[in-house]
Amino acid sequence: MDSRRQKTLLIDPGARVRVWCKECGRELSDPISRQRQLGAECDPEPRTGYDRHDVDQDPIPGL
Ligand SMILES: [Zn+2]
């Protein structure tokens, strides 16, 4: 008679909370998408710093 049952925790201590896209339900892996709960393909707002394409910056002459 073992009354002390060990609870099996399914949650890993180091596991991150899973977040899914509000629009399409895809699981999100990148921090910005998780923060907004929107995948990159469903997010209407442009993401600065996500894809770093430094365009429209002329090289400084004389360097
Ligand atoms: Zn989505």
Side-chain angles (χ1 to χ4, degrees):
M1 279 190 243
D2 191 7
S3 56
R4 286 201 307 172
R5 234 194 270 169
Q6 280 190 337
K7 282 186 182 174
T8 309
L9 294 177
L10 295 174
I11 304 166
D12 269 288
R16 289 187 292 178
V17 183
R18 300 173 80 185
V19 181
W20 290 269
C21 177
K22 281 190 293 187
E23 284 297 313
C24 66
R26 258 181 54 176
E27 189 166 0
L28 307 172
S29 54
D30 68 282
I32 297 175
S33 299
R34 292 158 59 88
Q35 205 173 25
R36 301 181 183 184
Q37 297 186 331
L38 272 176
E41 71 281 2
C42 302
D43 195 345
E45 287 187 52
R47 300 180 172 210
T48 46
Y50 182 67
D51 259 337
R52 288 201 189 184
H53 291 297
D54 290 325
V55 288
D56 298 325
Q57 273 193 353
D58 291 323
I60 303 166
L63 266 178

